[in-house]
């Protein structure tokens, strides 16, 4: 079975004692499932336009579960590129669990860790470097860590890789030209260009490699040994 044809659900917020929990549905049946679950005062979830929020209530039969806010994001204009619905309920683990159970009973399944971001990557909403930056942004606890993750998620690292890839492709084309005419009495007029590309590519690679240690220190911290004589 194609997993992308399944509709997935999971809390989008960390469980705790906050006021609100956000539950995310994503997939081809997300709007249908939410439409059957949430009762709006007028209209329906299925009739909602993308990027709109409505107030409603969730019942299990005649039993009231919670009053909620429902946000609709229609494909491809969502985080995952699919039809998505976010349900904001009170931050009770019982309430969130009941809403998730009702959605699963209606045809959704629990999302695997990172599956929303995986779907965003597969849909072309972000590249691999940007997808990896999502976790770093969420876990950032300092201004420096946030700055690095935010720049990467906005495509800063990807842009550098794109420029480097273009240089390497040009190098390959020049090398293939040299090989194709290596046995002929033809002057290879682009050797200076090739040498310059090699020099610039090596400099770019060295620059990116040198940032790894700094980025790793910002992300994970630096082990520090505290040594000295103990005093009373």
């Amino acid at each position: 079975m194609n997993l992308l044809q399944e509709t997935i659900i999971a809390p989008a917020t960390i469980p705790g004692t906050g006021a609100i929990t956000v539950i995310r549905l994503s997939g081809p049946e997300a709007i249908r499932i939410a439409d059957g679950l949430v009762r709006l005062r007028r209209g329906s979830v299925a009739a909602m336009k993308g990027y709109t929020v409505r107030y409603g209530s969730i019942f299990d039969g005649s039993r009231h579960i919670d009053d909620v806010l429902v946000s609709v994001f229609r494909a491809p204009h969502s985080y995952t590129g699919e039809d998505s619905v976010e349900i904001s309920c009170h931050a009770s683990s019982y309430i969130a669990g009941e809403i998730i159970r009702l959605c699963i009973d209606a045809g959704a399944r629990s999302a695997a860790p990172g599956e929303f971001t995986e779907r965003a990557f597969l849909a072309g909403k972000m590249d691999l470097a940007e997808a990896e930056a999502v976790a770093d942004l969420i876990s950032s606890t300092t201004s420096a860590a946030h700055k690095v993750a935010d720049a990467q998620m906005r495509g800063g690292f990807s842009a550098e890789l794109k420029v480097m890839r273009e240089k390497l492709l040009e190098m390959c084309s020049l090398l293939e030209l040299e090989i194709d005419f290596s046995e002929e009495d033809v002057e290879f007029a682009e050797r200076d260009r090739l040498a310059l590309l090699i020099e610039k590519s090596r400099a770019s690679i060295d620059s990116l490699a040198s940032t790894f240690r700094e980025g790793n220190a910002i992300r994970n911290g630096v082990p520090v040994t505290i040594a000295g004589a103990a005093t009373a």
Side-chain angles (χ1 to χ4, degrees):
M1 181 178 180
N2 186 351
L3 295 181
L4 293 179
Q5 294 303 311
E6 296 182 322
T7 297
I8 56 177
I9 186 170
T13 48
I14 298 174
T17 57
I20 298 295
T21 290
V22 178
I23 298 169
R24 178 182 290 164
L25 273 164
S26 183
E29 297 296 310
I31 293 176
R32 177 193 66 78
I33 291 172
D35 187 53
L37 184 66
V38 182
R39 301 181 191 176
L40 303 181
R41 289 189 174 180
R42 58 181 181 276
S44 65
V45 174
M48 289 174 60
K49 296 181 179 180
Y51 298 128
T52 58
V53 183
R54 296 284 300 276
Y55 173 83
S57 300
I58 293 179
F59 290 82
D60 181 10
S62 61
R63 181 170 61 97
H64 180 258
I65 301 298
D66 198 16
D67 295 324
V68 300
L69 291 177
V70 182
S71 306
V72 170
F73 305 89
R74 294 188 177 271
H77 306 295
S78 71
Y79 178 75
T80 60
E82 307 170 314
D83 283 341
S84 298
V85 176
E86 292 183 356
I87 300 172
S88 299
C89 63
H90 289 97
S92 155
S93 59
Y94 172 76
I95 290 174
E98 285 294 282
I99 293 174
I100 291 173
R101 177 185 64 79
L102 290 171
C103 289
I104 290 175
D105 289 346
R109 70 164 172 83
S110 294
E115 189 169 0
F116 290 107
T117 300
E118 178 186 12
R119 290 192 175 200
F121 167 70
L122 293 174
K125 303 293 288 186
M126 60 180 69
D127 61 27
L128 186 58
E130 292 165 347
E132 291 177 342
V134 173
D136 290 338
L137 186 66
I138 292 171
S139 62
S140 62
T141 56
T142 66
S143 174
H146 170 268
K147 182 178 179 180
V148 170
D150 184 64
Q152 184 173 332
M153 200 173 78
R154 291 179 179 273
F157 182 61
S158 300
E160 293 186 50
L161 292 179
K162 182 179 180 181
V163 172
M164 186 183 302
R165 180 177 183 275
E166 291 173 351
K167 291 178 182 177
L168 293 175
L169 287 174
E170 187 175 355
M171 286 171 52
C172 288
S173 65
L174 293 175
L175 288 170
E176 289 176 1
L177 180 64
E178 173 75 1
I179 293 171
D180 290 341
F181 292 95
S182 61
E183 297 181 358
E184 300 183 23
D185 188 18
V186 177
E187 179 68 21
F188 187 33
E190 297 291 337
R191 287 183 179 176
D192 290 342
R193 173 63 178 163
L194 178 60
L196 182 61
L197 281 171
I198 292 174
E199 181 180 348
K200 287 185 175 180
S201 297
R202 288 185 60 182
S204 297
I205 292 171
D206 289 342
S207 176
L208 286 175
S210 67
T211 65
F212 172 77
R213 180 174 296 178
E214 178 183 355
N216 193 54
I218 291 174
R219 183 183 300 109
N220 301 317
V222 180
V224 176
T225 300
I226 301 176
T231 58

